[in-house]
């Protein structure tokens, strides 16, 4: 494995002096999108991995919408791919419609999305994980954690998570455990007045693990998510719906996908229809029967993706809401009714759906329902997604209060990689806010306690022009290869792309159009494209840049001034961002801090001044005061005999 020059002490816990015998390095609990990426990442770093799932036939299951990507989310998928992950490759192999969203806006918000064949996606994800070196799939439910004491070289004896016990009594011992339990912790499903235990239709809840997490003195919260009905395709009148085709020249997610063989599957259209006042009247008349409105659900649902009953009640001025009719695959008649997530009683669902154009005679294959579940407040996590106070335990996905396949995949990769690195006593793998949307997400989570499921938006990234979907490989492949998450061949592929981009930039600067302006200046005009210039200049066309590289050239030229200013902003913020706060800083002694700031800093213990500044309730004067004390502690250390001044002073 590649050597590292980073300080391994940046992990929240040192590795125990003597690692007891274990069959695995890492046990991953949960086979969803977070679990797949966690196991896959740990495998790429040479770890022995057990992936535990209730049902091995549902590895990579798309529990809700059969789609990957979207605004902000598509960027995460491309980052996961640049870091050697699976999601982009699986999406490319199983997508049945590809669209680039935000094309009418700036480059910073363009985001890829695809409609997936649900069954093929699951099969391809399972195939990749099964083929990963050192990964063993284990069927069964994780009943409890194995927690024992271990002595650390730089600390006292402390509880250390050393594996899991399955419901049948089997023990899977490991040096680290990654929990990716999704919506299954003490989960309850709701449809109208009916309730049942389970985190997904037909699957039971993971109640035992919730109790174990509580016994570790971790703070838990309660959240809610929902899913819409599924309909039989032959019962829908498509003539009354508005067709929504995919892109004529679709873009893949993975930088490694062969464009000559893309897309691989037959491409299909989705469709759009709308609710109306008749729909809303039925929902309003029955809203008291919805579990959330009846007080049977305590968890908070996603504000940005509300149930249809929430839409009708909260947006009373709207006379209609969009409904997307999306196929679940090429070989199934199941349609996903995106936009009408609901937990109203079954008969009410059937009544209001029959008022929507095209769905008047729709046959239900499954009614919508809500799921309420436990999550662990993510402010208890380090930026490695390890629990700060529980050595050997890492969390990823909806257990951290997030929603979405893409957010789960990004967390799974970080948690799986860091679990493996921790067991090897290697430096952690951490992405900063200016490096990746994944870095933005992790940083957001560890300094907050979500009041609703967290979802990624492009607006969350203060440097989003630097974090475009088209340059994820240029940002992250080198990092991936250095740590061992990606092989050297990925770097060679990137370097060929960068060489082509550099050659095109040199040509544009060195050649001139009529009037004496360089071609680079011409390309800065909003109505001029790289493709148009290449059509006029043979040597430029001869460089044969693919669409990805050509678009990168266009963005680099058109946004040069903005990119330079964002780079300057990153450098300016980095001077504060990377100043580490000593772990022993006693916030209680800083009486000049505001009460709220003192309490939150003591509880969340941000690693850097930059992270401290992003905590809700911590004001700039509070950060300035902390910075003064950090500087005093640094100077006190350097003045001690035998201590040299740190190089980053």
């Amino acid at each position: 494995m590649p050597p590292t020059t980073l300080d391994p002490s940046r992990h929240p816990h040192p590795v125990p002096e003597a690692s007891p015998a274990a069959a695995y390095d890492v046990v991953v609990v949960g086979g969803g999108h977070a679990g797949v990426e966690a196991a896959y990442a740990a495998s790429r770093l040479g770890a022995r991995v057990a992936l535990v799932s209730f049902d091995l036939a549902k590895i990579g299951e798309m529990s809700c919408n059969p789609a990957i990507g979207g605004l902000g989310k598509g960027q995460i998928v491309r980052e996961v791919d640049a870091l050697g992950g699976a999601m982009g490759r699986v999406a490319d192999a199983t997508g049945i419609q590809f669209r680039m969203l935000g094309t009418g806006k700036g480059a910073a918000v363009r985001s890829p999305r695809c409609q997936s064949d649900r069954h093929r996606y699951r099969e391809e994800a399972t195939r990749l994980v099964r083929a990963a070196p050192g990964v063993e799939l284990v069927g069964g439910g994780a009943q409890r954690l194995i927690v024992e004491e271990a002595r650390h070289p730089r600390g006292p004896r402390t509880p250390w998570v050393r594996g899991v016990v399955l419901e049948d009594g089997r023990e899977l011992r490991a040096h680290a455990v990654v929990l990716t339990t999704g919506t299954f912790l003490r989960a309850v499903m709701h449809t109208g007045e009916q309730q049942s235990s389970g985190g997904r239709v037909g699957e039971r809840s993971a109640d035992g693990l919730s109790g174990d997490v509580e016994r570790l003195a971790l703070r838990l919260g309660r959240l809610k998510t929902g899913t819409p009905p599924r309909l039989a395709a032959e019962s829908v009148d498509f003539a009354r719906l508005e067709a929504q085709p995919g892109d004529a020249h679709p873009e893949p997610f993975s930088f490694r996908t062969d464009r000559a063989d893309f897309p691989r599957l037959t491409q299909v259209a989705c469709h759009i229809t709308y609710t109306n006042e008749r729909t809303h009247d039925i929902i309003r008349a029955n809203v008291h029967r919805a579990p959330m409105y009846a007080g049977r659900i305590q968890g908070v649902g996603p504000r940005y993706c509300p149930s249809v009953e929430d839409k009708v009640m909260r947006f009373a001025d709207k006379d209609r809401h969009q409904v997307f009719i999306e196929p679940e695959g090429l070989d199934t008649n199941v349609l996903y009714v995106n936009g009408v997530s609901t937990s109203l009683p079954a008969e009410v669902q059937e009544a209001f759906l029959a008022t929507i154009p095209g769905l008047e005679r729709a046959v239900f294959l499954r009614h919508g329902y809500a799921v309420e579940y436990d999550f662990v407040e993510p402010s208890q996590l380090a930026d490695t997604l390890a629990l700060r106070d529980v050595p050997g335990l890492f969390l990823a996905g909806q257990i951290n209060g997030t929603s979405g396949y893409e957010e789960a995949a990004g967390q799974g990769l970080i948690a799986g990689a860091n679990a493996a690195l921790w067991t090897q006593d290697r430096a952690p793998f951490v992405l900063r806010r200016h490096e990746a949307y994944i870095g933005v997400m992790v940083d957001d989570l560890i300094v907050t306690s979500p009041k609703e499921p967290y979802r990624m938006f492009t607006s969350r990234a203060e440097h989003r022009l630097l974090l475009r979907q088209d340059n994820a490989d240029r940002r992250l492949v080198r990092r991936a290869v250095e740590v061992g998450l990606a092989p050297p061949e990925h770097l060679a592929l990137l370097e060929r792309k960068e060489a082509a981009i550099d050659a095109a930039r040199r040509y544009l600067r060195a050649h001139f159009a009529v009037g004496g302006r360089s071609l680079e200046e011409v390309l800065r005009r909003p109505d001029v494209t790289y493709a148009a210039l290449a059509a006029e200049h043979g040597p430029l066309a001869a460089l044969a840049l693919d669409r990805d590289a050509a678009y990168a050239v266009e963005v680099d030229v058109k946004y040069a001034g903005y990119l330079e200013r964002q780079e300057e902003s990153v450098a300016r913020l980095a001077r504060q961002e990377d100043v580490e706060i000593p772990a022993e800083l006693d916030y209680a002694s800083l009486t000049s801090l505001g009460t709220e700031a003192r309490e939150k800093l003591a509880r969340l213990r941000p690693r850097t001044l930059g992270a401290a500044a992003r905590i809700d309730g911590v004001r700039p004067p509070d950060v300035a005061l902390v910075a003064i004390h950090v500087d005093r502690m640094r100077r006190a250390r350097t003045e001690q005999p035998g201590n040299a001044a740190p190089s980053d002073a």
Side-chain angles (χ1 to χ4, degrees):
M1 296 175 186
T4 179
T5 58
L6 297 177
D7 179 6
S9 67
R10 284 181 52 200
H11 278 294
H13 311 287
V15 178
E17 287 178 344
S19 297
Y24 306 99
D25 297 308
V26 178
V27 168
V28 177
V29 178
H33 303 279
V36 165
E37 296 295 349
Y40 201 48
S43 166
R44 298 197 301 281
L45 291 168
R48 299 164 297 161
V49 183
L51 176 59
V52 181
S53 180
F54 277 137
D55 187 349
L56 296 184
K58 293 191 174 180
I59 300 293
E61 177 77 1
M62 306 183 95
S63 304
C64 199
N65 189 7
I68 295 294
L71 295 175
K73 294 167 170 281
Q75 282 86 338
I76 291 179
V77 180
R78 299 212 94 191
E79 290 174 355
V80 167
D81 181 73
L83 294 168
M87 179 169 273
R89 293 168 60 196
V90 177
D92 287 350
T94 61
I96 56 178
Q97 186 198 84
F98 291 84
R99 296 177 63 214
M100 186 66 71
L101 307 182
T103 54
K105 300 179 181 179
V109 297
R110 285 171 58 107
S111 306
R113 182 191 188 273
C114 82
Q115 195 70 24
S116 299
D117 184 306
R118 177 194 300 279
H119 305 297
R120 286 179 169 89
Y121 187 100
R122 183 180 62 217
E123 292 165 0
E124 181 66 11
T126 303
R127 185 191 69 78
L128 279 180
V129 176
R130 283 192 183 278
V135 175
E136 178 183 344
L137 301 186
V138 180
Q143 180 66 22
R144 64 179 180 85
L145 299 170
I146 300 173
V147 182
E148 298 178 358
E149 286 193 343
R151 184 176 298 282
H152 296 87
R154 296 184 295 278
R157 296 182 70 84
T158 185
W160 176 35
V161 174
R162 291 186 47 196
V164 299
V165 178
L166 304 187
E167 290 173 328
D168 61 8
R170 284 178 292 168
E171 290 190 357
L172 304 180
R173 290 188 169 265
H175 303 309
V177 172
V178 182
L179 294 184
T180 68
T181 48
T183 61
F184 284 81
L185 285 185
R186 208 147 40 197
V188 178
M189 295 185 293
H190 299 260
T191 302
E193 294 84 5
Q194 298 180 356
Q195 295 182 11
S196 60
S197 175
R200 187 163 58 203
V201 67
E203 297 184 55
R204 60 191 188 279
S205 172
D207 294 337
L209 284 179
S210 273
D212 264 20
V213 169
E214 283 185 318
R215 282 187 285 275
L216 289 170
L218 297 175
R219 297 186 304 278
L220 299 183
R222 198 81 170 148
L223 291 175
K224 168 252 181 188
T225 188
T227 191
R230 272 59 159 190
L231 306 178
E234 62 273 16
S235 67
V236 172
D237 184 358
F238 286 96
R240 302 199 63 193
L241 309 183
E242 175 188 334
Q244 185 185 48
D247 291 343
H249 303 288
E251 294 287 325
F253 281 100
S254 177
F255 297 98
R256 294 161 281 160
T257 292
D258 183 358
R259 291 172 182 269
D261 186 33
F262 178 81
R264 298 185 191 174
L265 300 180
T266 301
Q267 300 294 285
V268 301
C270 296
H271 292 79
I272 300 175
T273 184
Y274 297 88
T275 63
N276 52 61
E277 278 304 321
R278 290 175 57 217
T279 316
H280 302 175
D281 287 343
I282 293 173
I283 291 172
R284 279 191 289 262
N286 290 277
V287 73
H288 63 283
R289 301 182 65 189
M292 183 69 78
Y293 286 83
R296 288 188 295 275
I297 292 180
Q298 303 304 315
V300 180
R303 173 169 40 92
Y304 46 81
C305 186
S307 65
V308 69
E309 48 265 34
D310 277 349
K311 290 180 186 178
V312 170
M313 300 305 293
R314 285 165 46 191
F315 307 106
D317 58 318
K318 300 277 188 182
D319 58 6
R320 68 176 192 172
H321 296 283
Q322 275 189 327
V323 179
F324 298 90
I325 309 299
E326 301 171 338
E328 292 205 345
L330 298 178
D331 304 319
T332 177
N333 71 332
V334 181
L335 297 176
Y336 181 91
V337 192
N338 194 352
V340 291
S341 173
T342 182
S343 56
L344 284 164
E347 66 273 17
V348 178
Q349 295 184 34
E350 293 174 7
F352 80 69
L353 230 69
T355 67
I356 298 174
L359 308 184
E360 293 88 347
R361 296 177 180 80
V363 173
F364 278 65
L365 299 176
R366 182 190 302 167
H367 293 90
Y369 61 93
V371 181
E372 189 181 18
Y373 57 95
D374 285 347
F375 77 102
V376 176
E377 292 190 7
S379 57
Q380 300 165 98
L381 296 167
D383 52 12
T384 59
L385 295 184
L387 268 301
R388 287 200 302 268
D389 297 330
V390 185
L393 185 59
F394 296 73
L395 308 181
Q398 286 177 282
I399 191 174
N400 288 338
T402 64
S403 73
Y405 307 147
E406 303 81 4
E407 290 89 343
Q411 293 173 71
L413 189 149
I414 295 297
N418 279 302
L421 292 168
W422 182 70
T423 67
Q424 298 161 7
D425 202 13
R426 296 178 57 200
F429 182 73
V430 176
L431 295 171
R432 305 295 179 209
R433 295 182 71 90
H434 68 276
E435 292 180 300
Y437 272 90
I438 295 173
V440 172
M441 171 177 61
V442 172
D443 189 63
D444 283 349
L445 291 173
I446 65 176
V447 297
T448 62
S449 296
K451 299 295 186 281
E452 63 179 356
Y454 177 98
R455 176 181 177 177
M456 179 51 69
F457 297 104
T458 56
S459 58
R460 293 190 187 274
E462 55 269 51
H463 305 297
R464 62 185 183 178
L465 189 56
L466 299 179
L467 307 183
R468 305 185 310 275
Q469 57 84 26
D470 65 277
N471 71 353
D473 56 341
R474 298 164 73 188
R475 290 185 276 121
L476 298 174
V477 165
R478 283 185 177 81
R479 291 285 312 273
V481 173
E482 286 170 3
V483 77
L485 283 168
E489 306 88 81
H490 291 192
L491 181 57
L493 187 66
L494 171 65
E495 288 175 340
R496 287 196 295 272
K497 175 180 176 179
E498 289 181 327
I501 292 171
D502 289 344
R505 293 291 304 274
R506 287 195 301 272
Y507 185 92
L508 291 169
R509 284 192 293 266
H511 292 79
F512 297 84
V514 175
R517 300 173 66 192
S518 72
L519 295 182
E520 187 172 66
E521 291 177 291
V522 173
L523 184 55
R524 289 199 183 106
R525 289 166 45 188
D527 58 329
V528 177
T529 65
Y530 178 88
L533 285 181
E536 296 175 6
H537 297 269
L540 197 59
L543 295 174
L545 270 65
D546 62 24
R547 287 204 303 269
D548 212 29
Y551 182 72
V553 171
E554 195 169 311
V555 172
D556 286 351
V557 171
K558 290 184 183 297
Y559 290 86
Y562 299 101
L563 290 167
E564 184 177 347
R565 284 195 287 275
Q566 285 213 349
E567 293 282 8
E568 290 171 353
S569 174
V570 168
R572 188 167 56 251
L573 290 173
R575 288 192 285 273
Q576 180 184 69
E577 178 67 38
D578 293 334
V579 175
E580 297 201 7
I581 302 173
E584 64 271 22
L585 177 61
D586 180 12
Y587 291 104
S589 68
L590 306 185
T591 54
S592 297
L593 283 175
T595 302
E596 182 182 12
R598 188 164 59 247
E599 185 274 330
K600 287 188 174 180
L601 288 166
R603 177 165 57 86
L604 301 178
R605 304 208 66 84
R607 194 174 58 78
T608 67
L609 290 177
R614 288 187 293 277
I615 297 175
D616 183 37
V618 177
R619 303 164 302 154
D622 298 321
V623 178
L625 181 63
V626 172
I628 291 171
H629 283 270
V630 168
D631 186 59
R632 286 176 181 171
M633 296 176 74
R634 179 187 61 80
R635 280 188 282 137
R637 285 176 175 174
T638 60
E639 290 167 2
Q640 293 177 1
N643 283 350
S647 59
D648 62 347

